[in-house]
Every structure is written in structure tokens, then in C-alpha cells.
Amino acid sequence: RELMEVEAQVAVDVLPKGSVDNGSTGPTTTASHNHKVHVHVREKVFLVRCGEAQQKVKWLGHVGIARYDSNYGMELGIPKAITFKDGTALDMNQSVGVSVPDSAHVYIILQDDDITQPPHH
């Protein structure tokens, strides 16, 4: 009996932060930990799931470039900037959760992109 109680306590302790043990189907994550961002890289759009969104904004750029470029970003390089559609630049060192609303669209500006043209999405 003591062993079973210890195992049950361990199981509760290892649930991801923000999870709820609903008993029958296992842990579920609360909505606040399912942050999503639509990342635009040139003509493509990728839905990036950010979890708790504690990553830096530049991480979104790297993920978008890696998904766009089958050579894992080797051809496109690193993001020069990340903006909203209206051209407002994001602080690349700020966390996604602070800077980017859930389900927002962001645009990755690459080294050779013409930033005088608005995003065409």
C-alpha cells in the first residue's frame, strides 16, 4: 500500500506544469499552454505551436526558416527581422508569450528580402 501511494505521488509530480489529471484519459494541458503563431516565410505560412511561449521571438524565425528551407536554413540563413503585417518590428530577444498574441501572424524578413515592400499575404 505504501508503494502504491508513493507511485501515485510520483505520477502527480511529473505532470507538465499547467497540466490537469482528469483521471481517465491522462493529463491534459490547459489552453494557456497551447500558444500558436502563424509564421510567414516568403510565400509559405507555417503554424508553429509554442507551448508555454517562453521562447524568444527569434526562435520563431529559426523555426519558420527551417520549415521553409529543406536544407534546415542553410540556404536562407538567419532572420533579419520579424514583423507583424503592418510592418511593426518585434523585439527578437523578447519572449513569444509577451510579444506575440496567440494565433497571431508574423512575417520573417530574410537578409535578401526587400523590406520596403509590405508582406503580400
Side-chain angles (χ1 to χ4, degrees), residues 16-113:
K17 182 179 176 186
S19 294
V20 176
D21 187 350
N22 60 16
S24 61
T25 60
T28 58
T29 304
T30 58
S32 65
H33 294 87
N34 290 322
H35 201 94
K36 299 177 293 293
V37 178
H38 301 271
V39 177
H40 296 249
V41 180
R42 295 188 174 156
E43 76 285 354
K44 295 183 181 179
V45 182
F46 304 98
L47 179 63
V48 178
R49 297 184 189 280
C50 306
E52 294 182 13
Q54 294 179 349
Q55 307 89 331
K56 293 186 184 306
V57 169
K58 65 182 164 189
W59 173 82
L60 287 173
H62 293 296
V63 170
I65 288 170
R67 290 188 185 177
Y68 181 93
D69 181 353
S70 61
N71 201 15
Y72 300 103
M74 297 303 291
E75 293 173 31
L76 296 180
I78 61 173
K80 181 163 67 174
I82 301 175
T83 69
F84 289 116
K85 187 171 186 168
D86 68 2
T88 303
L90 294 160
D91 179 346
M92 302 248 288
N93 291 312
Q94 185 66 263
S95 73
V96 171
V98 170
S99 299
V100 183
D102 185 37
S103 299
H105 290 255
V106 298
Y107 297 80
I108 309 307
I109 309 300
L110 303 168
Q111 297 299 329
D112 59 347
D113 286 349

